[in-house]
Amino acid sequence: MYRMSDDIEKILLSEEEIDKIVEKVATEIDRDYDNSGKELLLLSILKGSIVFMGDLMKKIKRPAEIDFMRVSSYSGTETRGKVDIILDLHRDRLENTDIIIVEDIIDSGNTLAYLTDYLGLKGAHSVKCAAMLDKPSRRKVNFNADYVGEEIPDYFVVGYGLDYEEKYRNLPYIGILKPEVYTK
Ligand code: IMP
Ligand code: MG
């Protein structure tokens, strides 16, 4: 039987390591929003962040609402630079809402820089970002997330929600894809 793991060169973060990282991020969020007096909205960016979102929301102890947006900036392993909103956030009033955008990985920074501005213009009280992974060496726009699980070198990684052409999202760990998978 062919297994997705056959295409993985190396496991970068195991399930146990991921669990500790998500716990750390949840603790930071609980600490920072302890006395905010606002609604907290965890806004998951589909589809890559759903596994991180599911784990993170369970570890956050303060009340939070959840919602989803879907954007697209990628094809294959390269970003296009332009961000399209495919599924928008529909809420009447955001003045009383602190948003945390939950994202799988920051690469060029285009997606999160764009969404942070966009949600601010929609009137959110505040907008912060939590990313499971960050590849700072790939940045094309000046952007820093407020919460980062783990910084990684410039590898193309899959699993734990992250895909290559819609595959590998259901791997429970984060792994480096064998280059021959996307060069063949
Ligand atoms: P950015 O707008 O360039 O920061 O791109 C962020 C998006 O690109 C993420 O939400 C992912 O969907 C995708 N992406 C960036 N790097 C990787 C990777 O190593 N593996 C899988 N998807 C990635
Ligand atoms: Mg993707």
Side-chain angles (χ1 to χ4, degrees), residues 1-180:
M1 181 178 84
Y2 159 74
R3 289 178 168 77
M4 291 181 290
S5 55
D6 299 339
D7 295 341
I8 301 302
E9 185 154 281
K10 185 176 164 232
I11 296 179
L12 199 61
L13 294 170
S14 67
E15 291 184 65
E16 293 73 25
E17 289 167 322
I18 289 170
D19 190 68
K20 290 200 189 84
I21 290 167
V22 180
E23 185 74 47
K24 174 198 76 176
V25 174
T27 304
E28 289 173 9
I29 290 173
D30 273 328
R31 179 200 63 202
D32 292 353
Y33 291 85
D34 189 17
N35 290 309
S36 73
K38 304 284 179 206
E39 305 287 335
L40 180 62
L41 174 64
L42 303 173
L43 181 59
S44 164
I45 307 306
L46 297 171
K47 306 174 196 168
S49 74
I50 63 149
V51 186
F52 177 44
M53 174 73 162
D55 284 350
L56 182 67
M57 63 186 271
K58 287 187 289 180
K59 291 183 192 289
I60 290 175
K61 297 189 174 63
R62 62 149 291 151
E65 295 186 16
I66 65 165
D67 221 320
F68 300 88
M69 280 184 74
R70 182 154 181 219
V71 299
S72 158
S73 69
Y74 249 70
S75 61
T77 62
E78 282 306 315
T79 181
R80 287 188 291 110
K82 185 173 163 289
V83 180
D84 297 323
I85 293 180
I86 294 164
L87 175 71
D88 204 348
L89 175 67
H90 296 290
R91 300 225 167 183
D92 291 339
R93 299 171 63 80
L94 285 172
E95 302 86 86
N96 221 19
T97 303
D98 289 322
I99 297 179
I100 299 178
I101 305 172
V102 179
E103 180 59 309
D104 52 0
I105 188 167
I106 317 170
D107 187 73
S108 70
N110 279 321
T111 306
L112 282 177
Y114 177 85
L115 284 177
T116 303
D117 286 352
Y118 179 77
L119 294 163
L121 289 171
K122 267 185 177 279
H125 176 259
S126 73
V127 183
K128 288 193 181 185
C129 302
M132 176 64 199
L133 300 174
D134 187 5
K135 294 197 271 196
S137 67
R138 294 265 300 174
R139 210 62 102 251
K140 292 197 181 117
V141 294
N142 184 18
F143 180 84
N144 289 305
D146 305 276
Y147 308 97
V148 170
E150 188 84 354
E151 286 192 3
I152 63 167
D154 182 10
Y155 300 125
F156 193 80
V157 290
V158 294
Y160 197 66
L162 290 142
D163 73 307
Y164 170 65
E165 296 192 333
E166 296 301 329
K167 238 174 106 181
Y168 309 104
R169 293 195 196 275
N170 56 323
L171 274 175
Y173 52 80
I174 294 168
I176 301 169
L177 199 57
K178 287 180 180 163
E180 58 259 36

